[in-house]
Amino acid sequence: MARSKLLRLGVALILVCIILAATFGAWIVHLDDVVTREFQGRHWSVPARVYAAPLELYAGAQISAADLEEELRRLHYRPGDPAAATGVYRRRENSFDLHARRVRFSDELREPQLVSISADANSITALKAADGTELPVFRLDPPVIGSVFPIHGEDRLVLSPADVPLLLRSGIKLIEDRRFDEHHGVDARGLARALWTNLRAGRVVQGGSTLTQQLVKNYFLSDEQTFDRKATEAVMATRLEAHFSKEEILVAYLNEVYLGQDGSRAIHGFGLGSEYYFAKPLAELDAGEVAMLVGLVKGPSYYDPRKHADRARARRNLVLQQFAEAHLIDAAAAQRAAAAPLGLRPPGGSYVPAYLDLVRRHLKRDYAEADLAAAGLSVYTSLDPRAQAAAERSLMLNLQRLDAASRVRGAHLEGALIVAEPNSGDVVAVVGGRDVGTDGFNRALDARRPIGSLVKPAVYLTALETGRYNAATLIEDAPVELKLNGSVWAPQNFEHQIYGWVPMARALAESMNLATVRLGLDLGLPKVADTLRRLGLEAPPALNPSLLLGTVEMTPLEVIEVYTSLANGGFRARLRAVHAVVDENGRPLKSFKVQVEEAAPAAAVYQLDRMLTLVTTRGTGRDAAARLPRGTVVAGKTGTSSDTRDSWFAGFTGSYVAVAWVGYDDNRVTGLTGATGALPVWADTLARLKSASFEPVAPELVEDRWIGFGDGLETTPACSGDAVVISVPKGAALPAKPGCSSLGVAPSPTGTLSDKIKAWFKNIVH
Amino acid sequence: MVQEYRALKTLAAVLAVAVLLSGCPARTRPEPPGNSVPGNEAPGGRPLSPGLPPPPVRAPPPRENYLSPATSSLVTQARTLVSRGDLDGASSTLDRALRIEPNNPLVWIELGRLRLAESDAHQAEGCGRKALSLASGDRGTQAQAGRLLADALRAEGRNQEAIEIERQPFM
């Protein structure tokens, strides 16, 4: 009886054991499966490297000796003897000897090369090859601006085994997992030692996790400290070790480990960490810098060198001491490094998430997903790091100034800015918000806001295209009342004034609402909408009369598309962030060609553009002049949405087209007009970029004439204090101011402005 | 009567040649060293110093476009690549030229010729129109741009429009 009971108990026990073992086995098989699948997936997804446009050097390029040296430093060229190694330059006064590295461009693999460059305070003066022959043009290395996983969009600078410096390889093992090369994923001895150390100290001072366990934790598990999780972690770590080599695990660890936080962007991996903290590739870090990064692993926020420099320094020095004790470096080097400052790069700068965002979207739009899945792609973009830095800085400084002057407390103004080269459509800078280093809401691409008066040039262009209007044509600024769906629409001028009959040039320059609405209604809404479409607005706007005052909502990216066509003499250039994608072996996947198409007649656009230069000299945008180098001609338009919720400025110089937006994210009233909010951001950016004046080639069908800005009558500067030059179709009949006929002084189409003034003067004398 | 007519005709011809010759020195200025691009029909003329603000063109004096030494060398390089059949390489090289002189009509003409070689007549047309608009006031460059545009239109099967271009005064 008792025996059979015992027997049954035994059987039951065995059964339970078998079930437990089976469950345990299944669990392990499951974890094994997860580990293998996930790790392999991660392991092979090497992101594409993204490059900015290389700086082209040639005699006459506006790059001073100081600019050039700064550029070389940014590309990590070191001063020294260029004959000895690549990546080295020597400067003697204004001449540079440079040993350029081996570098792959989108179209060429260039072998190392010795070059001599002469520059003065303004520009490059000469370029010579090593044998003394003149080089007409030479490009510097394209700077790396980041990496994208084109498909899922994370950012990481992934290291391959060859990229890992020896000191980092040995150093990380020394500090984090001494027995890494011996254990099988879990280190019992290490664990015991950690336990013992922690017991003696009475608190947790040492973690017993191996690198493999840390990797597993980062990859697959949450952060909770439960026995359950610890067990899963241990099993997964051993399975990982069973399937992959130590080398693979170490490199994966170095690419995965969390090293800090940059706003909403997590800094993962030593490649990105090196870039983020030191703005240098990992290979160029010195012992102290490697030690700081290795020390950070223990607690990236506790030892954050930007927030707690003392802690970070103490931690770095402790790591250096251990490096020396383990003979990874010699004691003297450790002491020298311990005495050096942390050497952090200034915050902000090299990281350009808003631009990378545009790159990702263009890649997604233009390339097949299967192509982008290939490992080791290089993406060559149009980003100009100098333009990007200028744009970021102008936006940040102006928003700080505007916030300080604002009566709104507890809210920060936001802004966005895009800069492009109008002829090619190359996008050279994108700023998505004031916090430029973080990967947050990209206002440049995604903030869709009413554009206000930025729409007006489309109305005036429509008028010019009919041939019935020119810049001197009088249009009426008078009250308008329209019955719309039962309610009455009665727009107002910004200053609640009424101006009567005014020349078109003035109505646009001073952004008169009533005159524009009347003109637009005369022309017909569909015509105006069609002009917008031809200039580049993809989504057709609602044909509501308020379209004429810019209730249509657009993103800064859409606005710049339209203004590029205006800057470009009526040619639409497709915006281009990506020039080419090249595979691991340098073969182009596909390149992105410049695309131009005629969008509007050149003569009409030229007349409009000349009217837009009056905006910045006589109209709402006249504050621009004070911020630009003296005499720089720019064309543009201010925009303010209802109740000053959005402040816009869009315009162009001879070199760039740019759009700036300023407003609050929650759409509250800013109290800023286009002129007080966005214009300074725009003008400061273009001033920093040393832009050329906007002086387009005049079509043969037009000529310059003087009119009174107030009355639109043809005149001479001596006759009218408010005389301005406009462009009209050749031989256009303009009513003249009595007694001021400019007959005989009507500037010939082939004279410069000063010729015209001389001719006019001669006329007075006669 | 007939004799007189002949003499007049000869005189007119001589005069015409004289006028043409007297006009020549103005048009064909000596080429700056290093600027020549083989096969380019309109080198020489006003230097376009890259980067410096272009001379005022508000009401342009008769002008001639030419390539800066930097763009000129890139254009030459692009032509070499084309002759080797490397059209992609040529395209990237002209892209560089465009970054240096984005509003030089001669670069756009070069780009348009390349698009034709790539059988992209539509884009060749765009480049031709763009070049024509940038060449305003420069007969020689206008004629080159016009020929490109006419070729592009023919390639698109738009012969009538091509003929209209060829009838323009600058052709």
Side-chain angles (χ1 to χ4, degrees), chain A residues 53-54 56 58-60 62 107 136-137 139 421 423-424 426 568 571 576 579 593-598 606 610 633 654 692 695-700 704 748-753 756, chain B residues 50-61 63 69-70 73-74 88 91-93 95-96 98-100 102-103 108 111 115 118 122-123 126-127 129-130 133-134 136-137 139 142:
Chain A
E56 298 278 0
Y58 50 89
Q62 293 273 288
D107 55 342
V137 59
R139 47 186 164 170
E421 197 291 307
N423 290 280
S424 60
D426 281 348
N568 213 356
F571 286 86
R576 185 166 68 148
H579 277 221
K593 290 164 183 166
V594 178
Q595 291 193 18
V596 287
E597 218 157 310
E598 201 171 23
Y606 180 82
R610 293 290 299 279
V633 181
E695 279 164 341
V697 181
E700 284 167 12
D704 282 3
S748 79
T750 55
T752 63
L753 200 58
K756 276 168 232 164
Chain B
L52 289 174
V57 279
R58 209 164 242 188
R63 27 176 276 143
S73 82
L74 292 169
D88 279 347
S91 185
S92 307
T93 305
D95 241 23
R96 292 178 64 193
L98 211 56
R99 275 192 71 208
I100 297 172
N103 44 26
W108 285 98
L111 203 59
R115 295 290 172 261
E118 292 168 341
H122 182 66
Q123 274 307 311
C127 294
R129 291 194 190 279
K130 169 104 183 155
S133 128
L134 290 171
S136 173
R139 285 291 152 111
Q142 280 176 318

Side-chain angles (χ1 to χ4, degrees), chain A residues 442-467:
Chain A
N442 192 345
R443 292 163 195 83
L445 274 49
D446 295 326
R448 192 173 293 280
R449 300 296 196 113
I451 62 169
S453 303
L454 292 192
V455 80
K456 285 179 184 158
V459 181
Y460 290 81
L461 179 61
T462 310
L464 292 167
E465 278 189 59
T466 62

Side-chain angles (χ1 to χ4, degrees), chain A residues 290-468:
Chain A
V290 171
M292 194 202 90
L293 289 183
V294 167
L296 261 181
V297 173
K298 192 177 174 197
S301 60
Y302 186 83
Y303 296 110
D304 184 340
R306 292 221 168 85
K307 290 203 183 101
H308 311 290
D310 289 344
R311 290 181 198 164
R313 201 171 301 114
R315 174 78 184 148
R316 176 196 68 179
N317 294 353
L318 181 71
V319 171
L320 279 168
Q321 194 191 326
Q322 288 180 281
F323 280 5
E325 282 164 12
H327 304 292
L328 298 182
I329 54 177
D330 62 50
Q335 266 172 11
R336 265 200 314 279
L342 286 172
L344 300 176
R345 72 160 168 84
S350 71
Y351 185 60
V352 287
Y355 196 93
L356 288 177
D357 190 14
L358 181 63
V359 167
R360 270 194 294 266
R361 291 185 204 195
H362 279 190
L363 287 176
K364 235 180 186 153
R365 183 189 69 188
D366 300 311
Y367 292 82
E369 201 164 285
D371 290 339
L372 296 175
L377 298 180
S378 296
V379 179
Y380 294 89
T381 72
S382 354
L383 177 81
D384 174 349
R386 295 195 295 172
Q388 179 71 29
E392 287 176 0
R393 198 160 168 73
S394 306
L395 183 68
M396 189 184 73
L397 292 178
N398 275 296
L399 292 184
Q400 280 172 358
R401 179 181 58 79
L402 292 168
D403 268 341
S406 161
R407 270 165 297 168
V408 180
R409 292 280 159 240
H412 287 294
L413 278 168
E414 268 300 348
L417 186 59
I418 308 185
V419 188
E421 197 291 307
N423 290 280
S424 60
D426 281 348
V427 180
V428 298
V430 177
V431 190
R434 65 190 296 160
D435 210 352
V436 294
T438 62
D439 205 351
F441 180 45
N442 192 345
R443 292 163 195 83
L445 274 49
D446 295 326
R448 192 173 293 280
R449 300 296 196 113
I451 62 169
S453 303
L454 292 192
V455 80
K456 285 179 184 158
V459 181
Y460 290 81
L461 179 61
T462 310
L464 292 167
E465 278 189 59
T466 62
R468 288 185 282 125

Side-chain angles (χ1 to χ4, degrees), chain A residues 453 456 459-460 475-482 489-502 507-508 510-522 545 548-549:
Chain A
S453 303
K456 285 179 184 158
V459 181
Y460 290 81
I475 55 175
E476 192 183 11
D477 186 76
V480 182
E481 279 194 9
L482 283 179
W489 184 62
Q492 298 272 332
N493 278 330
F494 190 77
E495 310 275 7
H496 296 278
Q497 268 183 311
I498 289 159
Y499 301 91
W501 290 91
V502 289
L508 178 61
E510 295 185 351
S511 204
M512 296 176 186
N513 288 341
L514 301 180
T516 308
V517 168
R518 283 173 167 265
L519 176 63
L521 292 174
D522 273 357
L548 301 168
L549 297 180

Side-chain angles (χ1 to χ4, degrees), chain A residues 664-718:
Chain A
Y664 288 107
D665 276 347
D666 63 5
N667 206 22
R668 73 174 81 183
V669 170
T670 64
L672 299 168
T673 62
T676 54
L679 173 63
V681 175
W682 184 94
D684 287 356
T685 303
L686 292 160
R688 280 172 204 278
L689 286 177
K690 302 184 193 165
S691 287
S693 267
F694 176 68
E695 279 164 341
V697 181
E700 284 167 12
L701 304 169
V702 297
E703 66 184 3
D704 282 3
R705 306 272 280 271
W706 290 98
I707 61 161
F709 188 60
D711 59 19
L713 298 175
E714 178 151 36
T715 186
T716 63

